Amino acid sequence: MRSIKLFLISVPALFFSWSITRYVLFLFITLVLPYPEGKWLKGDVDLYNFWAQGLVKGIFPINDSMWQYPPLAGVVFATPQWVFGNALTGFIIFMIIFDLLVLITLLFFGLKRFSETPELITLNGLGGAWFWVLWPVLMGPLALTRFDVVPTFFAVVSIILISNPKIRPVLSGVFLSIGALVKLWPLLLLVIYPRKYFKQLVPSFILGAGGIIFLMNIWSVGFSNFLANQQNRGLQVESVAGSIFVFLKLFGLSVDYPFRYGSLEVDAVFADEIAMFLNIATLIMFIIIFVFNYQNRLNHLNLFDKALVIVLISITLSRVFSPQFWVWVGGLAALALISRETKLKKVITLLVFSVLLTQLLYPGLYVPLLNGEVFASIVQILRVVLFVWAVVIGTKLLFKQPVQKK
């Protein structure tokens, strides 16, 4: 046991483990090692490569319903072509670099917190970093064939910056704006940031985003096309609400999954109405959370715990629940686990089991799921049940009022 503990508090052991795990994942992606339905792992990378041919010239996909990403996603897709001259292998390497940046960020923040309050920090400050090492193993190699690790890095850095009273929140707002312009979800974190920083953080976020958009407008053509495609999306089969139809299809309901806007959407009675309801519910929920947070009524959880719960709620109410969303969850869970005081240990345990089922499902059981086969459908339903269970616990903790000390 002592040797295991010494291993877990060793920084060289941490980086050695990261190197080995990422190398094995790379071998899966490149099909050097067999992986269930591994031929589908790089499907999105091929699409990014196709887009990159125009993006390197500043031309965004026009009239392409599959393009649903904010402007800086185009820069992410073009960079492997610019730097490596190959957007296929180069993209995977680029994601591994950002994966490493997330690890280093979690490590340095954990070590800093350990130097300040050692009794409150896990594994001498390495707890969060170790969780990040293991998370893509739980997720599977798909974690490195999507670009979600990039906005996750900027979101994690932004939350760390705002948690340090010695650092001006202006920088946090800039990092958050970059993350939101790569993929929209970091924008959600604004609703749980401390009220006292809003006067500095919000203007820096707006100015940062505005400056980037201005530069993108000068450099590129068609970067705003994603807005219409996002608006028109329906209910994806992988989504939490989509699992209702997966369940009903087992009992004979007529459900089809046509390919629209880059994903397989549910085509069945009431599917469109449910998708519209989710949009409205998301807006209402986040207005409530913002108001409660602004009134300092969400103080039972710390900032890191709140960030994870917010993202879990947004995924639950989303029309989409692509497997790469788990990258966001893993980064924020790793940040929360740096502290022994996190109240989300049960939540994260449930998420671990849910993400394992996700790896089993995508891509190995995806076709059987679409065909309505029993085992694949049960796996999908079970992973969603575990996820929703975690969200319910996290949401109750978010709105729980702290006990007043007498």
Side-chain angles (χ1 to χ4, degrees), residues 215-244:
L215 293 174
M216 294 295 294
N217 189 49
I218 295 174
W219 169 71
S220 65
V221 177
F223 70 85
S224 62
N225 290 330
F226 78 98
L227 292 171
N229 293 335
Q230 277 283 354
Q231 182 180 353
N232 293 327
R233 296 189 76 170
L235 190 66
Q236 188 190 45
V237 61
E238 297 105 312
S239 65
V240 170
S243 297
I244 298 171

Side-chain angles (χ1 to χ4, degrees), residues 101-357:
L101 288 175
V102 174
L103 177 69
I104 292 171
T105 301
L106 291 168
L107 175 62
F108 272 84
F109 182 61
L111 292 174
K112 181 178 181 300
R113 292 287 300 275
F114 181 71
S115 67
E116 297 168 346
T117 54
E119 69 282 358
L120 300 179
I121 306 302
T122 59
L123 291 178
N124 291 13
L126 275 65
W130 270 114
F131 187 82
W132 180 253
V133 168
L134 295 174
W135 189 252
V137 177
L138 300 172
M139 262 194 75
L142 183 138
L144 299 177
T145 63
R146 304 294 188 271
F147 69 104
D148 294 77
V149 69
V150 180
T152 299
F153 166 73
F154 287 106
V156 166
V157 171
S158 177
I159 298 169
I160 289 174
L161 287 173
I162 204 69
S163 71
N164 188 340
K166 297 180 182 179
I167 297 178
R168 294 172 66 87
V170 171
L171 194 57
S172 177
V174 172
F175 270 89
L176 196 65
S177 69
I178 296 172
L181 287 175
V182 175
K183 202 159 190 179
L184 290 175
W185 71 266
L187 177 65
L188 301 171
L189 300 176
L190 280 173
V191 302
I192 49 91
Y193 273 31
R195 172 181 173 179
K196 61 182 178 180
Y197 296 134
F198 258 81
K199 289 184 179 179
Q200 292 174 290
L201 188 142
V202 174
S204 70
F205 176 89
I206 294 172
L207 289 173
I212 293 169
I213 291 173
F214 176 75
L215 293 174
M216 294 295 294
N217 189 49
I218 295 174
W219 169 71
S220 65
V221 177
F223 70 85
S224 62
N225 290 330
F226 78 98
L227 292 171
N229 293 335
Q230 277 283 354
Q231 182 180 353
N232 293 327
R233 296 189 76 170
L235 190 66
Q236 188 190 45
V237 61
E238 297 105 312
S239 65
V240 170
S243 297
I244 298 171
F245 295 95
V246 171
F247 177 78
L248 292 175
K249 188 170 184 175
L250 286 174
F251 294 92
L253 181 72
S254 177
V255 181
D256 294 318
Y257 303 119
F259 187 77
R260 295 190 295 239
Y261 298 99
S263 65
L264 290 154
E265 298 184 350
V266 177
D267 185 4
V269 61
F270 296 126
D272 291 339
E273 289 78 4
I274 290 175
M276 183 179 297
F277 169 78
L278 290 174
N279 289 337
I280 297 170
T282 299
L283 179 61
I284 293 172
M285 174 60 77
F286 277 86
I287 290 174
I288 292 171
I289 292 171
F290 175 79
V291 171
F292 272 56
N293 188 66
Y294 198 76
Q295 295 174 342
N296 291 318
R297 295 167 64 185
L298 299 180
N299 295 328
H300 182 66
L301 298 180
N302 62 36
L303 181 63
F304 310 123
D305 285 357
K306 285 193 284 188
L308 176 57
V309 173
I310 285 297
V311 168
L312 295 178
I313 292 172
S314 73
I315 293 173
T316 304
L317 296 176
S318 175
R319 296 164 294 172
V320 182
F321 188 1
S322 299
Q324 59 265 30
F325 288 12
W326 286 102
V327 176
W328 324 343
V329 174
L332 296 176
L335 194 56
L337 286 173
I338 289 174
S339 173
R340 296 182 189 275
E341 293 186 312
T342 179
K343 296 180 173 68
L344 300 184
K345 290 178 182 177
K346 185 175 181 179
V347 169
I348 294 171
T349 300
L350 290 168
L351 294 174
V352 165
F353 286 109
S354 183
V355 77
L356 279 169
L357 291 175

Side-chain angles (χ1 to χ4, degrees), residues 61-83:
I62 298 174
N63 298 324
D64 185 342
S65 64
M66 296 181 69
W67 178 259
Q68 300 156 19
Y69 308 113
L72 284 184
V75 177
V76 172
F77 299 151
T79 299
Q81 189 73 38
W82 285 327
V83 176

